[in-house]
Amino acid sequence: MGGAGTGLAADPIITRLANEDNVRWYKKPNLRYLYFLLFPTCMGIELTSGFDSQMINALQIVPSWISYFGDPQGSLKGIIAAAYSLGAIVSLPFIGVVNDKFGRRWSIVGGSAIMVIGALIQGFAVNAGMYIAARLILGFGIPTCIVSASSLIGELAYPKERPVLTSLFNVAYFVGQIVAAGICFGTNNIATNMAWKIPSWLQMCPSLLQIAFVLFLPESPRWLVQKDRVEEAYDVLVKYHAEGDRESEFVKAEFAQIQATISIELEHSKASWADLIATAGMRRRMLISCMLGLFTQWSGNTLISYYLGDLLAMIGKSDSVFKQQINLANSCWQLCCGACVAFLVTRFKRRQMYLACTISLLCVYISWTISMERAIAGKNSGTPNDSANIATIFWIFAYSPCYNIGYNALTYTYLIELWPYAERSRGLAFFQLFGRLASFFTTFVNPIGLANVSWRYLISYCCFLAFEIAFVYFMFPETFGRTLEELAFLFEDKALAEEATHAVEKVVVHHEEPIVAKGTADAHAATSEVKNQV
């Protein structure tokens, strides 16, 4: 059975303490403030990605964009869409270094500033080459923000709400899609080039929000502990996880667990990319992350996100207003599906949700392929097959809830749980690398495939979805119901997990005070003491 043999035997003390807290988050003023501030700053980052995918999809329907750039087709059309992912790929080697050196917040500021520059150039583009260059710059800025923000959400959130918050991170993608679809629908009838320039410039708005508000957030307490700023880390936990109560048993235990776990991790880490293949456990994490990156982009979603207009044209629906209406309706539907599924992550186990996702996606794609073939055959014969046309549009809409069950709701929740703190930035960067490579490939190849083999191109996605089912079943471990530190040694020796658990027991059972003192020597001494007692 997939996920067997993972080291989850250590007592989940922090999880039990968190579950015993019956006060809801909205009744805690400091935690409520933190969560509301996370939305325009960290959650808002995926607005940019959603805005971009929908904008490119919608602008290809706008007459002034088509005429200005000479009606791009084939490979040129593909590279315009794929440039965003290509720019992201170039930035990935720097993500780990930037995150470790500057922290989560300043990494978000830097990435957002780059995206503002890209959006400005995009609106002032005078030809397709300049437009592609602007999209490369936009793509260069987004991965740093995504990795930093998703990590910061997971590392700041109270353990009870963390799975839901990290799942909602991807839901903002659909908000960006709706905003972009609505803007492009509104500018569609503008006769001048402002019809496409206005959406292009407005793409900078989420980044401006992040620059304006992200420094009002606290820094990750894990990053502060790593940098020996332990008093600051403890203060953050006290303020947001205990509402200012410095004697809170939960915060003392949580802080002791964070200190012990990070100290153990750093002892076994060289803080380099080589750590990702240093042990069997790390290699399995990397394989899962790489394949999850491929799955999130090779499951057929980019076909709908970037080329919905082409798909509708293939079945005879060529009216630009109709396409924009379907585009906007699908974006709203995706938001509803994404938001609803995000609240299920505390009720169902991760493997169950991923298997439900992949199996249902395969069923949808097989049905969609059949209806698409019938619809195109009817169009080519001169007698439109209205039933097949309706079925095709139905399956396009049915795709969203199936995809959201796993690849939207769980992606960052699962990855943050999968990777220990010391390697989290690099692990997420590797996920981004394979996701962006897959996105670049599919957005470039999709129009070529549709043009050359028509509906048969969908069969390739059916085959890959069948592989996804097998991989998830045999390779994905279960991470449900544990804190980040309790999952840090998921594939490692049980003794390492016991070391961190013993540090928590000293606080909870023996009522010893955690070491809140600056300096690596103190932290190392504390860890050594734990090891000796174990």
Side-chain angles (χ1 to χ4, degrees):
M1 184 73 173
T6 55
L8 285 177
D11 187 15
I13 298 173
I14 303 298
T15 298
R16 285 194 286 105
L17 288 174
N19 290 335
E20 289 169 5
D21 180 5
N22 294 320
V23 181
R24 304 301 295 269
W25 65 269
Y26 51 80
K27 294 182 178 180
K28 300 176 180 179
N30 291 344
L31 192 62
R32 185 174 65 234
Y33 166 82
L34 173 68
Y35 289 171
F36 282 138
L37 199 56
L38 283 173
F39 273 85
T41 52
C42 296
M43 304 286 188
I45 282 164
E46 278 289 18
L47 286 170
T48 303
S49 292
F51 193 104
D52 182 82
S53 70
Q54 193 59 266
M55 184 188 72
I56 287 299
N57 195 359
L59 288 185
Q60 292 176 40
I61 308 169
V62 174
S64 62
W65 186 91
I66 294 171
S67 61
Y68 189 85
F69 292 108
D71 192 14
Q73 296 295 326
S75 60
L76 178 58
K77 190 175 189 177
I79 198 66
I80 287 174
Y84 187 77
S85 295
L86 183 59
I89 292 167
V90 175
S91 75
L92 293 174
F94 309 105
I95 291 177
V97 176
V98 171
N99 263 266
D100 289 345
K101 184 173 178 60
F102 298 106
R104 311 302 195 201
R105 298 185 308 164
W106 282 104
S107 297
I108 292 171
V109 171
S112 298
I114 291 171
M115 287 191 286
V116 169
I117 295 169
L120 286 170
I121 297 173
Q122 184 174 244
F124 287 111
V126 297
N127 52 45
M130 187 173 174
Y131 196 77
I132 291 169
R135 293 183 50 71
L136 285 168
I137 295 170
L138 274 164
F140 188 88
I142 192 66
T144 301
C145 292
I146 289 176
V147 170
S148 304
S150 59
S151 298
L152 188 58
I153 292 168
E155 292 163 7
L156 283 177
Y158 193 70
K160 284 178 72 173
E161 290 90 38
R162 175 184 51 78
V164 173
L165 287 172
T166 49
S167 296
L168 286 172
F169 176 71
N170 256 354
V171 173
Y173 181 94
F174 301 124
V175 177
Q177 279 195 322
I178 292 171
V179 172
I183 290 170
C184 292
F185 183 74
T187 62
N188 185 60
N189 294 323
I190 297 177
T192 67
N193 289 323
M194 296 307 290
W196 64 267
K197 286 179 177 289
I198 289 173
S200 297
W201 283 325
L202 289 177
Q203 192 170 355
M204 76 175 77
C205 290
S207 299
L208 291 173
L209 270 178
Q210 286 130 36
I211 293 170
F213 291 106
V214 74
L215 294 181
F216 289 100
L217 281 174
E219 185 52 87
S220 164
R222 275 89 173 169
W223 184 80
L224 292 170
V225 167
Q226 182 196 12
K227 296 298 180 182
D228 282 338
R229 293 162 59 179
V230 290
E231 294 104 326
E232 294 176 58
Y234 190 73
D235 288 343
V236 170
L237 293 175
V238 166
K239 181 175 181 180
Y240 296 105
H241 289 189
E243 294 299 306
D245 180 9
R246 299 190 71 83
E247 299 305 313
S248 165
E249 182 182 55
F250 174 81
V251 165
K252 288 180 180 179
E254 183 183 31
F255 183 72
Q257 187 185 54
I258 290 171
Q259 269 193 310
T261 303
I262 289 178
S263 181
I264 295 166
E265 286 179 28
L266 294 178
E267 278 191 14
H268 294 83
S269 171
K270 297 177 182 177
S272 72
W273 290 98
D275 290 334
L276 300 186
I277 56 172
T279 66
M282 285 298 177
R283 288 191 290 273
R284 183 172 175 183
R285 285 186 180 95
M286 190 172 72
L287 176 62
I288 293 169
S289 299
C290 294
M291 296 310 295
L292 192 53
L294 294 181
F295 295 168
T296 57
Q297 301 300 325
W298 275 2
S299 299
N301 51 308
T302 56
L303 202 57
I304 298 173
S305 296
Y306 287 91
Y307 300 106
L308 180 58
D310 290 351
L311 293 171
L312 293 173
M314 289 171 67
I315 61 172
K317 305 296 183 181
S318 56
D319 178 64
S320 67
V321 174
F322 176 80
K323 289 180 181 179
Q324 295 283 18
Q325 289 172 335
I326 293 293
N327 203 17
L328 182 56
N330 190 47
S331 297
C332 294
W333 171 239
Q334 287 175 322
L335 174 61
C336 292
C337 295
C340 291
V341 171
F343 290 98
L344 298 178
V345 296
T346 57
R347 298 178 180 272
F348 297 98
K349 292 184 176 180
R350 311 294 186 239
R351 282 172 46 80
Q352 292 173 351
M353 292 184 72
Y354 272 122
L355 285 170
C357 168
T358 50
I359 292 169
S360 60
L361 281 177
L362 178 59
C363 293
V364 165
Y365 243 90
I366 291 172
S367 303
W368 181 12
T369 303
I370 295 169
S371 67
M372 192 83 169
E373 186 275 332
R374 292 288 82 204
I376 292 173
K379 178 194 171 188
N380 292 340
S381 67
T383 307
N385 188 331
D386 292 334
S387 297
N389 289 346
I390 293 170
T392 297
I393 295 173
F394 170 81
W395 291 119
I396 289 173
F397 276 79
Y399 180 91
S400 182
C402 303
Y403 182 88
N404 275 284
I405 292 171
Y407 294 143
N408 184 69
L410 282 184
T411 298
Y412 288 101
T413 300
Y414 193 65
L415 286 168
I416 290 167
E417 292 172 346
L418 188 68
W419 286 98
Y421 171 79
E423 312 303 337
R424 189 167 293 139
S425 294
R426 280 177 281 272
L428 289 176
F430 241 94
F431 160 77
Q432 282 283 312
L433 171 63
F434 276 78
R436 297 297 173 176
L437 284 170
S439 178
F440 174 79
F441 178 81
T442 56
T443 50
F444 180 75
V445 170
N446 279 342
I448 300 172
L450 290 175
N452 291 333
V453 293
S454 187
W455 63 269
R456 296 174 186 82
Y457 183 62
L458 274 64
I459 297 174
S460 63
Y461 286 113
C462 296
C463 296
F464 195 74
L465 284 165
F467 166 73
E468 289 179 21
I469 295 170
F471 189 91
V472 168
Y473 183 82
F474 289 107
M475 294 300 296
F476 276 36
E478 188 55 71
T479 61
F480 179 79
R482 298 297 179 106
T483 68
L484 299 183
E485 279 65 43
E486 288 163 357
L487 289 164
F489 308 110
L490 184 64
F491 301 121
E492 280 71 32
D493 192 332
K494 177 184 173 183
L496 295 176
E498 293 292 350
E499 288 178 30
T501 300
H502 191 71
V504 179
E505 289 174 346
K506 288 172 65 180
V507 174
V508 176
V509 180
H510 303 295
H511 302 290
E512 296 183 20
E513 292 293 316
I515 297 174
V516 187
K518 193 171 183 177
T520 50
D522 293 324
H524 182 73
T527 307
S528 298
E529 182 184 348
V530 170
K531 287 182 178 179
N532 293 334
Q533 292 185 23
V534 172

